[in-house]
Amino acid sequence: MDPMEALVAQIQGLSSTPGDIARLHIILKQADDSLRAESTRLSPVLGQLAPSEHSLGFLYVLDAFTSGQISKQQAETSVPIITGFINACNAEQIRLAPEKFVLVCKRLKDQVMMLEAPIRGVGPLLTAARKLQLSTEHLTPLHSDFLMLCVLAKCYKTGLSILEDDIFEVDQPRDLFLYCYYGGMICIGLKRFQKALDLLHNVVTAPMSTLNAIAVEAYKKYILVSLIHHGQLSTSLPKYASSVAQRSLKNFCQPYIELANSYGTEKIAELEAYVQTNTEKFENDNNLGLVKQVVLSMYKRNIQRLTQTYLTLSLQDIANTVQLNSPKEAEMHVLQMIQDGEIYATINQRDGMVRFLEDPEQYKTCEMIENIDSSIQRIMALSRKLSAMDEQISCDQLYLSKVGRERQRYDFDDFDVPTKFNI
Amino acid sequence: MDADDETFAPITDEVGANGGDEQRSRRPIISGDHLDIEAYASLYSGRTKIMRLLFIADHSSDEKVGNPSMNLEALRMAYDEIKKGENTQLMREVAQKINGRLGPSYELDSAWCDAVDHRAEQKKEKLDNELNAYRTNLIKESIRMGYNDFGDFYYAHGQLGDAFKSYVRTRDYCTTSKHIVHMCMSVILVSIEMGQFTHVTSYVNKAEQAPDALDPITIAKLRCAAGLANLEAKKYKLAARKFLETNPELGSHYSEVIAPQDVATYGGLCALATFDRTELKSKVIDNLNFRNFLELVPEVRELINDFYSSHYASCLEYLGNLKANLLLDIHLHDHVETLYDQIRHKALIQYTLPFVSVDLSMMANAFKTTVAELQKELEALITDNQIQARIDSHNKILYARHADQRNATFQRVLETGREFDRDVRSMLLRSNLVKHDYNVRQLRKL
């Protein structure tokens, strides 16, 4: 235990100033292997260290402590330790060893899943992600794990808070895919279909050299959400999607594409029949709930079309046009849509008539002006960011070397790019 | 125009009545008699007469209006006409169609066929020899005449492809613009018979660009040909314009292709289906030249006037009566339904245009249909965005609805902002991914 005690003393002593911490970091790296060897006897060591002051040291010890197989009882004890550490640790110190931190958090996630209580991991991982981020635009591997736990624990609102941030910097593409996929699922759960569509769109059109399963699953959900929200599916991916995606994505999602085609014919009976015959496939992908919502959205779309042509319409006529079974059902649908704010109408039960009204929004209120103003500010900020990025790339060494190489072929009287940029 | 003044008087009665009112004096609408085949055929000459008669024979057997007697009558006249010519192929066709129903004098006359074929062989040889002689002598004019004769020969014998080729060959030997025009006219004739209307258009253009001024009859003929080509191509508006520009000197000079009654009918219907109100007035009703044509087909004149003065019921009645006969016309057959639909839609739209609210039962009365049917038609037009209105199904009233520009603009602006935001953000994200990928690759290379 002697080396342990010495290590503990060093951690306690060298955790105050940045210079000391740097030295401590080097010492810890050297001691890493010996720590791992002693993993079983490390719990008292953890007791001696304070997570808030000695974060780096605590982290290394914790990492060694949790490495290796852990049983359910051990998980019971280690989860609170890790949770406590995450809540209390010092952000700057842990940023010195990000991979270890990520590793520890992943183990927390595994243990929480093993204990079948994903909700215990939601709070800690949120804090962890926020602490690890260099800025709110930065995506860490923890984001995707956090969102996965949110989906499993059904804490959609917590997940939404982290989705509100825009992401611009990504370390690993895989993190982004998972982040967007789980994020999309959370938004679908909260019925924010536009945001879900954006997130899934990002996955599907991300640059990738080979097709991966995440993109395929994301595309399936993308098709369904696109049908619910827009009522149609654009048949081809935009040009900036990778060529692999454009070619092969459709082959893996055949039943969904056919569903979209059947939706396009606007015949509800056909759509329902198709869903019936393929229920198993949709269920295997866990998409049956979404598919049912697609069918529902078709009724809604038909009723919305009626608002364009009629001022008043009897419930019986609505039932006939939209192919519902009875005026009662039509009334329920219309009522639901009014409550959701999808149409503006009043139902006159005495005559069995529905009166469609215009959108009362007049765009004259203060809120609307504030809304427009904030949108303008936001877009101006984005433009500035775009120009900044453009400038940054023009000064980038790799870019210049590539461009410099090509330019030399064509322009003789341009300035020669200095040779050190040619690789 | 008097019609306008009348409608300013008790508006509700007049507008609602729309020609259904007994008290107004109106000319008796001629009911659609079955087509008088003799009169119809006498308008045409040459190959088109035969083709039209055959078309009538084919279609009168399966039309609801047709009757067997018309079928036989047409075939009989076709047979007589073919006998006057030299086309044995058509003779065999007609004889087969008649199938002995007209008695022994109308059977396949093999002797006649053989004689004609034999004569044709001889003539062909003769023409061939002559042409070769001319060709060795390299006399341009004679070569041209030679090819021309060949073309005429093939045309008379029904070998339209060869006729076309021969006529086109004369092009190299044309010296004056008169020759060019003659060639173009021949090619146009053959192309129309073959049904290849793209050639018709190109040769009409060629003829119109000939350096010398053309005489009015030729100009009229070219306009008709262009109109026919446009009609076949379903470009109804252009077809209408061409037909309306035809000057009345055409007379019966183009009976190998078209009769002046046809010019009136085609032009009138296409104009009615595609022109808006101002054009209709300036180009059709006030068009003095076209009036001469319209006099020949008083029903079309009446129906155009009725449409313009908003007497929709009588207009649609005229149209209904004409329909049976128009379906027997070789050029118009495929387009009758489309044109009729377009005219009906225009009538509906024009009816609702001046009003803020319209009572659907009065409108149904004016169009002689039921309210339910009318509602369906109006629904289709509104969904298509041809009528800006909404239906109050409870009270059966149509209310005009004007889009609120201001709100629409706000919505569009907000939507554009959102899209821009979304697109730029995903673009920045993607470029970051690409940069990462590129960095990784570079690192690996180094």
Side-chain angles (χ1 to χ4, degrees):
Chain A
M1 276 284 261
D2 263 357
M4 282 297 113
E5 284 194 12
L7 199 55
V8 169
Q10 276 181 319
I11 294 174
Q12 284 170 332
L14 291 172
S15 293
S16 31
T17 67
D20 286 343
I21 292 185
R23 258 197 304 153
L24 178 61
H25 195 190
I26 300 171
I27 297 174
L28 284 172
K29 276 196 236 182
Q30 287 166 341
D32 198 25
D33 295 326
S34 56
L35 275 175
R36 275 179 198 278
E38 311 266 343
S39 65
T40 43
R41 290 181 286 166
L42 285 176
S43 19
V45 177
L46 286 175
Q48 289 174 319
L49 296 171
S52 45
E53 293 147 26
H54 313 135
S55 306
L56 195 55
F58 199 100
L59 177 61
Y60 269 82
V61 176
L62 194 55
D63 174 42
F65 176 62
T66 52
S67 62
Q69 292 290 15
I70 295 202
S71 66
K72 255 192 159 163
Q73 289 101 341
Q74 283 175 313
E76 268 299 335
T77 47
S78 67
V79 165
I81 301 181
I82 306 182
T83 315
F85 168 64
I86 295 177
N87 286 335
C89 68
N90 183 324
E92 278 120 31
Q93 289 195 23
I94 54 161
R95 281 197 201 135
L96 291 170
E99 318 84 32
K100 284 221 178 286
F101 189 64
V102 170
L103 216 51
V104 167
C105 293
K106 277 202 194 298
R107 292 210 194 104
L108 171 67
K109 178 195 85 171
D110 293 332
Q111 288 167 11
V112 157
M113 301 263 283
M114 197 174 16
L115 291 173
E116 287 171 21
I119 197 162
R120 289 171 72 172
V122 169
L125 273 185
L126 177 59
T127 333
R130 286 248 180 267
K131 285 195 179 164
L132 189 57
Q133 266 184 328
L134 294 166
S135 71
T136 51
E137 295 173 359
H138 184 221
L139 184 76
T140 65
L142 297 176
H143 281 78
S144 43
D145 290 334
F146 164 67
L147 286 178
M148 189 180 83
L149 285 180
C150 284
V151 172
L152 287 172
K154 300 215 193 306
C155 308
Y156 295 140
K157 288 232 173 55
T158 343
L160 196 62
S161 61
I162 215 171
L163 285 171
E164 297 291 349
D165 299 329
D166 299 328
I167 296 291
F168 290 120
E169 284 174 47
V170 175
D171 292 328
Q172 277 287 341
R174 190 164 167 278
D175 297 334
L176 179 70
F177 291 154
L178 283 173
Y179 170 81
C180 288
Y181 180 65
Y182 291 129
M185 285 173 75
I186 288 181
C187 291
I188 293 174
L190 288 171
K191 293 217 189 301
R192 291 188 49 170
F193 291 119
Q194 184 57 54
K195 196 160 172 71
L197 214 54
D198 292 342
L199 286 165
L200 292 170
H201 187 79
N202 276 341
V203 182
V204 168
T205 56
M208 50 180 136
S209 46
T210 55
L211 209 51
N212 56 47
I214 308 174
V216 173
E217 292 302 314
Y219 191 58
K220 291 180 185 166
K221 290 203 162 58
Y222 178 76
I223 295 177
L224 293 174
V225 175
S226 171
L227 286 179
I228 295 177
H229 190 68
H230 288 305
Q232 59 187 13
L233 176 71
S234 61
T235 43
S236 60
L237 292 170
K239 273 196 301 194
Y240 47 76
S242 66
S243 47
V244 217
Q246 280 177 351
R247 276 198 307 262
S248 354
L249 217 41
K250 291 203 184 126
N251 302 339
F252 292 95
C253 309
Q254 223 19 60
Y256 295 84
I257 309 260
E258 276 164 35
L259 183 72
N261 289 341
S262 154
Y263 190 96
T265 61
E266 293 179 17
K267 295 202 182 60
I268 295 192
E270 269 188 42
L271 186 67
E272 284 185 338
Y274 184 79
V275 171
Q276 277 297 95
T277 45
N278 289 305
T279 316
E280 255 194 58
K281 283 189 221 158
F282 293 138
E283 207 156 359
N284 288 341
D285 291 332
N286 287 332
N287 283 333
L288 192 58
L290 259 184
V291 172
K292 291 210 164 77
Q293 285 194 35
V294 169
V295 177
L296 207 61
S297 79
M298 184 157 214
Y299 287 112
K300 288 191 189 164
R301 214 158 288 285
N302 286 344
I303 295 181
Q304 268 175 338
R305 215 174 297 135
L306 287 176
T307 65
Q308 294 301 317
T309 45
Y310 287 95
L311 261 183
T312 64
L313 196 56
S314 70
L315 286 168
Q316 181 62 47
D317 282 334
I318 296 183
N320 291 343
T321 328
V322 180
Q323 293 159 42
L324 287 167
N325 291 329
S326 71
K328 265 282 157 228
E329 268 191 49
E331 189 177 338
M332 279 191 330
H333 275 275
V334 173
L335 197 58
Q336 187 63 43
M337 287 176 76
I338 299 177
Q339 281 175 342
D340 289 337
E342 287 163 9
I343 59 172
Y344 304 97
T346 53
I347 305 180
N348 183 335
Q349 283 194 321
R350 189 167 46 115
D351 299 332
M353 279 280 161
V354 178
R355 188 178 188 85
F356 297 117
L357 308 163
E358 293 280 350
D359 181 0
E361 176 63 66
Q362 285 292 323
Y363 300 100
K364 286 184 188 155
T365 59
C366 286
E367 289 93 30
M368 183 49 69
I369 305 236
E370 277 174 28
N371 191 348
I372 297 180
D373 193 48
S374 65
S375 297
I376 296 178
Q377 298 296 341
R378 194 179 153 80
I379 290 184
M380 278 166 53
L382 257 183
S383 295
R384 273 195 292 270
K385 193 174 176 64
L386 193 58
S387 347
M389 194 165 202
D390 187 37
E391 279 180 33
Q392 194 190 39
I393 292 194
S394 339
C395 310
D396 188 70
Q397 183 185 18
L398 289 172
Y399 172 76
L400 279 173
S401 64
K402 186 166 168 114
V403 168
R405 219 182 325 156
E406 285 174 15
R407 260 177 26 154
Q408 270 189 330
R409 274 182 243 156
Y410 300 111
D411 303 324
F412 288 105
D413 39 23
D414 266 349
F415 295 115
D416 270 313
V417 176
T419 43
K420 79 167 170 152
F421 284 128
N422 295 343
I423 293 189
Chain B
M1 283 187 50
D2 337 317
D4 284 344
D5 294 337
E6 282 181 70
T7 50
F8 280 127
I11 294 184
T12 43
D13 299 331
E14 287 292 321
V15 169
N18 270 336
D21 195 357
E22 258 53 63
Q23 291 138 4
R24 287 175 27 84
S25 61
R26 56 188 178 113
R27 303 176 194 84
I29 298 176
I30 303 170
S31 68
D33 291 329
H34 291 316
L35 189 60
D36 185 355
I37 300 194
E38 291 227 22
Y40 180 75
S42 63
L43 294 169
Y44 305 100
S45 66
R47 193 190 151 84
T48 187
K49 185 170 176 179
I50 305 170
M51 300 312 293
R52 281 168 191 263
L53 287 168
L54 285 177
F55 189 85
I56 292 177
D58 286 337
H59 282 84
S60 63
S61 48
D62 52 31
E63 278 315 312
K64 309 172 277 264
V65 186
N67 43 18
S69 62
M70 199 170 15
N71 175 308
L72 285 176
E73 181 74 11
L75 286 173
R76 188 179 63 78
M77 296 190 63
Y79 188 95
D80 290 334
E81 193 62 30
I82 296 177
K83 252 285 172 57
K84 294 183 207 155
E86 300 191 346
N87 195 332
T88 53
Q89 175 64 30
L90 281 179
M91 170 60 82
R92 287 179 225 275
E93 253 187 70
V94 166
Q96 204 191 16
K97 287 199 177 126
I98 294 182
N99 222 352
R101 288 178 287 168
L102 285 170
S105 53
Y106 284 101
E107 288 197 342
L108 179 59
D109 195 347
S110 335
W112 180 88
C113 285
D114 292 333
V116 166
D117 284 336
H118 185 66
R119 266 208 311 272
E121 274 300 315
Q122 287 180 327
K123 182 143 188 224
K124 185 158 179 237
E125 258 193 68
K126 179 167 148 263
L127 283 176
D128 230 351
N129 293 336
E130 278 180 10
L131 187 61
N132 284 332
Y134 294 145
R135 278 229 292 261
T136 37
N137 289 341
L138 284 179
I139 313 172
K140 259 193 158 177
E141 181 57 25
S142 320
I143 301 179
R144 188 188 74 86
M145 297 288 303
Y147 273 120
N148 238 332
D149 292 336
F150 247 117
D152 294 336
F153 168 78
Y154 281 131
Y155 182 70
H157 284 267
Q159 288 157 302
L160 296 174
D162 296 324
F164 182 82
K165 279 191 218 136
S166 307
Y167 283 130
V168 170
R169 280 217 195 98
T170 66
R171 182 171 159 197
D172 301 325
Y173 306 102
C174 291
T175 42
T176 69
S177 66
K178 205 150 157 279
H179 294 163
I180 298 178
V181 171
H182 178 85
M183 174 214 52
C184 289
M185 295 307 296
S186 322
V187 171
I188 290 173
L189 182 61
V190 176
S191 306
I192 293 181
E193 285 299 317
M194 282 202 292
Q196 289 181 0
F197 287 91
T198 37
H199 289 146
V200 173
T201 327
S202 51
Y203 279 95
V204 162
N205 287 336
K206 223 182 286 246
E208 278 172 354
Q209 282 161 9
D212 291 343
L214 303 166
D215 64 306
I217 296 184
T218 322
I219 297 182
K221 287 187 189 176
L222 289 171
R223 294 266 160 74
C224 287
L228 270 181
N230 282 325
L231 178 65
E232 286 300 318
K234 295 198 187 351
K235 295 188 191 145
Y236 299 123
K237 196 156 191 176
L238 291 171
R241 288 219 183 102
K242 289 286 174 189
F243 283 126
L244 291 168
E245 284 167 11
T246 317
N247 51 49
E249 281 132 3
L250 175 71
S252 45
H253 289 116
Y254 212 19
S255 54
E256 314 92 67
V257 172
I258 197 173
Q261 283 85 344
D262 291 337
V263 174
T265 318
Y266 298 168
L269 285 179
C270 290
L272 205 52
T274 53
F275 282 2
D276 63 18
R277 222 173 136 74
T278 34
E279 268 194 287
L280 196 64
K281 176 108 169 80
S282 58
K283 293 220 177 108
V284 181
I285 298 179
D286 290 345
N287 186 339
L288 293 166
N289 280 339
F290 200 63
R291 203 170 285 182
N292 297 325
F293 286 111
L294 281 179
E295 293 299 324
L296 300 166
V297 225
E299 293 105 5
V300 176
R301 186 192 62 208
E302 283 311 305
L303 84 90
I304 294 181
N305 281 333
D306 279 338
F307 186 92
Y308 187 74
S309 51
S310 308
H311 297 133
Y312 300 110
S314 59
C315 171
L316 292 173
E317 210 182 314
Y318 275 120
L319 272 181
N321 289 332
L322 282 178
K323 189 171 188 180
N325 292 340
L326 289 178
L327 280 171
L328 292 174
D329 181 292
I330 195 171
H331 291 293
L332 204 53
H333 174 84
D334 304 318
H335 308 277
V336 171
E337 288 295 342
T338 328
L339 285 173
Y340 269 49
D341 280 338
Q342 283 188 357
I343 295 177
R344 194 183 167 82
H345 288 164
K346 285 197 105 194
L348 286 169
I349 297 171
Q350 197 174 276
Y351 185 98
T352 58
L353 212 49
F355 299 110
V356 165
S357 63
V358 175
D359 182 357
L360 286 183
S361 45
M362 276 179 78
M363 189 171 173
N365 232 356
F367 282 88
K368 298 264 183 353
T369 142
T370 64
V371 175
E373 285 286 324
L374 184 65
Q375 193 167 307
K376 269 203 211 96
E377 281 186 69
L378 285 174
E379 193 183 322
L381 283 174
I382 294 175
T383 321
D384 239 359
N385 227 4
Q386 308 240 32
I387 300 185
Q388 314 291 331
R390 303 247 287 245
I391 303 177
D392 181 342
S393 176
H394 185 47
N395 302 323
K396 302 285 178 220
I397 300 184
L398 181 80
Y399 287 101
R401 171 227 216 178
H402 301 288
D404 188 342
Q405 290 286 26
R406 186 173 167 280
N407 281 357
T409 313
F410 268 100
Q411 271 177 340
R412 255 203 323 274
V413 163
L414 285 172
E415 186 59 38
T416 315
R418 272 191 287 262
E419 272 175 43
F420 178 81
D421 189 16
R422 207 169 50 221
D423 289 340
V424 171
R425 266 188 295 127
S426 20
M427 198 168 62
L428 286 173
L429 184 60
R430 267 198 304 279
S431 64
N432 191 291
L433 280 175
V434 171
K435 189 163 84 156
H436 169 268
D437 190 39
Y438 196 70
N439 284 343
V440 164
R441 263 192 275 152
Q442 284 299 113
L443 286 169
R444 251 187 267 145
K445 251 208 275 186
L446 294 172

